[in-house]
Amino acid sequence: MSLNISKLRNIGIAAHIDAGKTTVSERILFFTGVNRKVGETHDGQATMDFMKQEQERGITIASAAITAHWNGYQINLIDTPGHVDFTVEVERSLRVIDGMVAVFCAVGGVEPQSETVWNQADKYRVPRIAFVNKMDRTGADFQEVVNQMHKYLGANAVPLHLPIGAESDFEGMVDLVQMNSVRFIEKERIVGPIPENMMELAQEARRNLIEKVADLDDEIAELYLEDKEIPTDKLMAAIRQATIKLMMVPVLCGAAYKNKGIQLLLDAIVDYLPSPNDLGAVIAHDPANEEKTYRRNPSENEPFSALAFKLINDPYVGQQTFIRIFSGKLTNGMSVYNTNKLKSERVGRIFRIKAKEREEIALVGMKYTKTGDTLCDEGQPILLESINIPPAVIEMKVNLDDKKNRSKLSEALAKLCNEDPSFHAHFDEETEETIIAGMGELHLEIIVDRLKEEFKVPVTVGAPSVSFRETITAPFECNYRYVKQTGGKGQFAHTVIRFEPNPGGGFEFVDITKGGVIPKEYIPSVQKGLAAAMNKGPFAGYPVVDVKCVLVDGSSHPVDSSDMAFQLCAQMCFKQAFMKASPVLLEPVMKVEINTPDDYIGNVTGDVNKRRGRIEAMRRFRKGSQKLDAFVPLMEMFGYATALRNLTSGRANYSMEFHQYMPTPKDKQEEIVKMRNEKE
């Protein structure tokens, strides 16, 4: 049976940690009949939080996918993490969803991570609706959250609900589109007339809603100016169009834990968020010519195109590859082309995954496909926009008490790296230590937990450390001749390479040799040698970034020159030049957002300054508290959660994300290089 694409909703649920988005997801699964009973995060029974680490901590780590049905519509739901260490999970989910439900806490409002997720959704142009949750909590303020959405997110937030009561008196809401009241008894919604004492307020809010929509829709504007009654279906259609075009964000309210407002949220997902048809064709590039683009419409009759957005290792069926299909059809045993790897893949089996059980589309048997790879029709190769993966900024040493487990450890780490593109692991031959790197302390803590629990690898870990980088700040040209005679065939290579700073440009290789002074088959060898040399810089042994290498001249020998000779020559040339090109150490600098009560503002700013931080802005967050935006080096942020708790009697909170690599001050640089040399 063919799926009616207009009745499909691919949506994500995203928010700040503790806004209650997993509880919202669980209620959606309950009310759509996927679950017979409700799972809770606090008792470790949430369907969407199926990893042991999630259940222990009561937070979402991996984005889970599930399919539900509501009023004849199919909703593919992705629940995403709220903790900043798992931003890559949000990033890859936003790349493949069509619409988003942004959940806000009625007490906490717009928290730092809400802004991060909102900006990510802006980047991928994802239409969204907002759900103000926890209306039953002490301090809940629906209008204040709407105001914060305007102020901090720049959103045209338009309430479709008015809460009836708040805090412990929260009963339900006035639906401003249908102009009725909705209350909840147990799990039933009771629709009735608007309470008399709220009628005036409701009419004013309805007028405000219509004015906002009239600004965006000519037909509604005309009816409004002529003072005519606006039919509900026309108003809903106009809200839908404005939402899909990112011109407005409908705002709803409820209390998911008390089962209040979830059915209305489901109605809004169906009524206002787009189907793949609404968003139209996805734009793809020609792999051979980036200027040339193709359009792939969401239709079964178009050539197949899909993006791999997640990999999971299942102990029973092996690696599962989650894909978002943008066009065409996929069948068991079908052959697809991986444009990124330039290889064909055969689809072994297609599963439907239900979080840890099997209820959403995942492919088994894919050998080469990784996160962000395009899969398409073999006869018509295209390249879809990939997924942005932020760099790993924190490292940790992992050791084994028993060396017999080394192969088990490397196998487990390979699987984890496959699953999570923001996690990296490598074995340092010199120190004989395994180094793991990720997005933050919690990220690596979870990885170590999984190594012990899931993969049964007993590991001990060192303290987390910062992942520095090295680069040069001045140009230098090096003329290096590599000659080795060993009695038989010798080794000969000669290169003249100019090394230049390349801020933000990564490693760049340019060949400007003329007249075949270096045979063309050895040019890639020079590039390969330079790339290998950059894995471990001569300054302090950290990876080298942002260097442009210009191959100017060189020479070869008809007998003694070889691929290996030119690779080694390029490496020696690089090492010799690097120390003469004014090298510097780069450190990761984090964007830190701190919410603190006014009473502690002096303590917090003083502490940020002590940590070599730069305060960028201070703004009134809500009554009695302020929000600080600062940039602070990561090496100064270890243990900050405890320090902030002590400074503010536990009343402040913060969030941080990677901003950029910046030069380390000279005194710190010398200290780090000295410590590094002492260790070796």
Side-chain angles (χ1 to χ4, degrees):
M1 188 183 81
S2 273
L3 174 69
N4 180 349
I5 291 173
S6 65
K7 294 212 159 187
L8 178 64
R9 300 288 180 271
N10 295 313
I11 67 152
I13 296 193
H16 187 279
I17 195 165
D18 276 348
K21 64 196 168 312
T22 298
T23 306
V24 170
S25 301
E26 292 300 322
R27 294 309 187 273
I28 286 175
L29 300 183
F30 175 76
F31 282 108
T32 54
V34 174
N35 286 351
R36 291 208 187 104
K37 75 180 189 72
V38 173
E40 306 292 4
T41 51
H42 61 262
D43 60 14
Q45 295 301 308
T47 306
M48 304 296 272
D49 286 350
F50 59 87
M51 286 166 63
K52 180 175 180 286
Q53 292 78 10
E54 294 176 311
Q55 291 164 358
E56 283 171 356
R57 290 170 177 79
I59 61 168
T60 302
I61 294 162
S63 49
I66 208 155
T67 296
H69 294 88
W70 183 251
N71 293 345
Y73 286 78
Q74 179 176 315
I75 299 171
N76 293 331
L77 172 69
I78 294 180
D79 179 36
T80 59
H83 196 285
V84 76
D85 278 14
F86 307 102
T87 294
V88 72
E89 287 285 346
V90 183
E91 188 89 20
R92 58 179 166 191
S93 301
L94 286 169
R95 173 64 188 88
V96 296
I97 58 179
D98 298 328
M100 180 174 106
V101 176
V103 181
F104 296 93
C105 170
V107 183
V110 176
E111 299 273 17
Q113 183 67 4
S114 322
E115 292 190 48
T116 304
V117 172
W118 198 268
N119 293 337
Q120 286 173 301
D122 279 342
K123 182 169 84 179
Y124 290 114
R125 297 191 58 74
V126 178
R128 64 215 85 150
I129 56 179
F131 182 72
V132 179
N133 191 26
K134 303 191 178 183
M135 282 299 302
D136 56 332
R137 290 264 303 272
T138 305
D141 189 335
F142 178 71
Q143 192 52 50
E144 175 58 20
V145 179
V146 174
N147 295 343
Q148 287 180 20
M149 287 178 68
H150 282 282
K151 190 174 173 184
Y152 301 131
L153 306 177
N156 183 19
V158 182
L160 303 191
H161 288 171
L162 263 188
I164 301 174
E167 302 182 342
S168 57
D169 298 328
F170 177 66
E171 294 176 34
M173 61 284 294
V174 171
D175 184 333
L176 299 172
V177 176
Q178 304 289 346
M179 279 308 270
N180 56 23
S181 72
V182 185
R183 286 183 169 85
F184 301 89
I185 295 173
E186 291 296 316
K187 296 179 177 72
E188 293 300 312
R189 61 169 152 177
I190 313 296
V191 178
I194 296 169
E196 273 182 42
N197 65 340
M198 287 190 74
M199 185 55 86
E200 202 176 313
L201 198 62
Q203 284 170 340
E204 191 189 326
R206 162 91 172 186
R207 226 176 2 259
N208 179 48
L209 165 64
I210 290 169
E211 278 174 14
K212 290 278 184 79
V213 177
D215 286 343
L216 308 170
D217 186 281
D218 292 344
E219 194 179 352
I220 300 293
E222 205 173 302
L223 290 167
Y224 178 63
L225 290 170
E226 290 171 5
D227 217 14
K228 287 184 179 169
E229 186 59 39
I230 294 168
T232 302
D233 59 340
K234 276 195 168 36
L235 180 59
M236 287 174 71
I239 293 170
R240 177 180 176 75
Q241 282 312 307
T243 305
I244 291 169
K245 290 174 182 167
L246 306 180
M247 293 158 84
M248 72 177 267
V249 178
V251 188
L252 293 79
C253 67
Y257 183 58
K258 299 279 175 65
N259 303 308
K260 293 178 179 177
I262 296 301
Q263 298 103 315
L264 293 174
L265 175 61
L266 281 161
D267 289 344
I269 288 168
V270 162
D271 292 337
Y272 305 125
L273 288 180
S275 73
N277 281 343
D278 293 310
L279 296 179
V282 66
I283 306 297
H285 294 280
D286 188 309
N289 175 10
E290 211 175 297
E291 301 298 306
K292 194 173 175 188
T293 58
Y294 297 99
R295 294 171 69 81
R296 289 284 184 267
N297 290 299
S299 160
E300 291 182 3
N301 304 322
E302 292 261 321
F304 174 73
S305 68
L307 188 79
F309 71 95
K310 187 176 177 66
L311 272 67
I312 286 181
N313 278 290
D314 185 295
Y316 303 108
V317 297
Q319 182 179 290
Q320 298 169 355
T321 306
F322 284 74
I323 63 166
R324 161 71 201 264
I325 299 173
F326 289 100
S327 65
K329 262 197 303 199
L330 186 69
T331 53
N332 274 331
M334 181 169 148
S335 211
V336 295
Y337 184 66
N338 183 325
T339 317
N340 300 75
K341 301 291 186 293
L342 306 176
K343 290 180 185 289
S344 288
E345 289 261 49
R346 189 177 158 79
V347 177
R349 283 179 290 166
I350 303 172
F351 273 131
R352 296 186 74 78
I353 309 292
K354 177 185 166 186
K356 68 175 172 181
E357 291 142 27
R358 299 175 174 76
E359 248 297 314
E360 177 54 64
I361 297 273
L363 310 183
V364 176
M366 309 297 276
K367 289 181 189 166
Y368 312 109
T369 302
K370 299 277 182 285
T371 298
D373 284 359
T374 298
L375 298 174
C376 60
D377 189 294
E378 290 187 277
Q380 301 184 51
I382 57 164
L383 201 53
L384 294 162
E385 183 193 344
S386 192
I387 294 164
N388 176 48
I389 310 295
V393 291
I394 189 166
E395 292 183 341
M396 195 184 266
K397 286 173 185 160
V398 176
N399 296 308
L400 289 164
D401 295 332
D402 188 349
K403 295 281 188 281
K404 282 185 212 153
N405 285 318
R406 191 175 275 179
S407 65
K408 204 172 168 188
L409 174 64
S410 59
E411 209 174 288
L413 289 173
K415 285 179 179 172
L416 289 167
C417 288
N418 239 352
E419 274 186 26
D420 181 353
S422 66
F423 171 68
H424 304 282
H426 71 274
F427 184 72
D428 190 316
E429 298 287 349
E430 285 179 34
T431 60
E432 294 205 330
E433 289 175 320
T434 299
I435 312 288
I436 60 173
M439 299 297 298
E441 290 177 84
L442 180 63
H443 188 193
L444 294 187
E445 189 190 308
I446 300 289
I447 292 282
V448 170
D449 241 29
R450 290 187 66 193
L451 283 172
K452 291 175 180 174
E453 298 289 334
E454 198 177 309
F455 295 98
K456 308 289 182 238
V457 183
V459 291
T460 55
V461 295
S465 63
V466 173
S467 177
F468 292 96
R469 298 286 184 269
E470 299 178 20
T471 193
I472 57 173
T473 57
F476 187 82
E477 187 165 298
C478 181
N479 186 334
Y480 192 86
R481 196 178 290 266
Y482 177 72
V483 184
K484 207 167 188 187
Q485 290 296 335
T486 50
K489 186 185 174 213
Q491 296 275 4
F492 179 90
H494 171 216
T495 57
V496 180
I497 304 172
R498 188 170 70 249
F499 298 93
E500 301 169 2
N502 192 24
F507 165 52
E508 196 180 330
F509 176 74
V510 181
D511 169 30
I512 59 166
T513 56
K514 291 192 175 81
V517 288
I518 297 176
K520 66 173 185 297
E521 65 265 28
Y522 296 136
I523 302 292
S525 311
V526 175
Q527 184 173 355
K528 205 189 284 183
L530 290 168
M534 289 195 181
N535 288 332
K536 194 169 184 180
F539 192 35
Y542 293 105
V544 176
V545 294
D546 298 347
V547 177
K548 184 177 181 180
C549 307
V550 183
L551 182 58
V552 177
D553 201 359
S555 60
S556 66
H557 186 278
V559 177
D560 292 350
S561 285
S562 66
D563 165 50
M564 190 46 72
F566 271 99
Q567 278 195 52
L568 291 168
C569 180
Q571 285 181 34
M572 306 287 194
C573 190
F574 172 78
K575 283 175 184 169
Q576 201 173 83
F578 190 83
M579 296 309 287
K580 293 174 183 171
S582 305
V584 291
L585 211 54
L586 300 173
E587 63 178 341
V589 172
M590 312 303 281
K591 182 185 177 200
V592 183
E593 290 189 348
I594 307 161
N595 296 336
T596 176
D598 291 343
D599 301 351
Y600 304 103
I601 198 81
N603 296 358
V604 172
T605 52
D607 184 64
V608 167
N609 291 331
K610 258 195 326 209
R611 294 172 187 271
R612 297 193 286 126
R614 187 179 91 242
I615 293 172
E616 194 75 357
M618 285 168 67
R619 47 204 163 111
R620 174 73 45 213
F621 178 46
R622 60 172 83 89
K623 199 176 174 191
S625 68
Q626 295 197 45
K627 179 178 281 196
L628 263 73
D629 292 337
F631 296 104
V632 190
L634 175 63
M635 70 183 295
E636 308 292 346
M637 289 299 290
F638 289 124
Y640 185 64
T642 307
L644 187 64
R645 262 200 306 274
N646 295 339
L647 281 171
T648 64
S649 307
R651 291 180 60 203
N653 61 44
Y654 82 103
S655 114
M656 69 175 182
E657 61 180 308
F658 173 71
H659 174 55
Q660 67 182 86
Y661 272 95
M662 293 175 83
T664 313
K666 206 161 178 25
D667 56 333
K668 280 279 173 195
Q669 187 167 286
E670 285 165 5
E671 201 182 296
I672 294 156
V673 173
K674 190 179 169 195
M675 277 168 60
R676 184 86 167 174
N677 292 339
E678 279 170 6
K679 276 183 194 171
E680 290 179 3

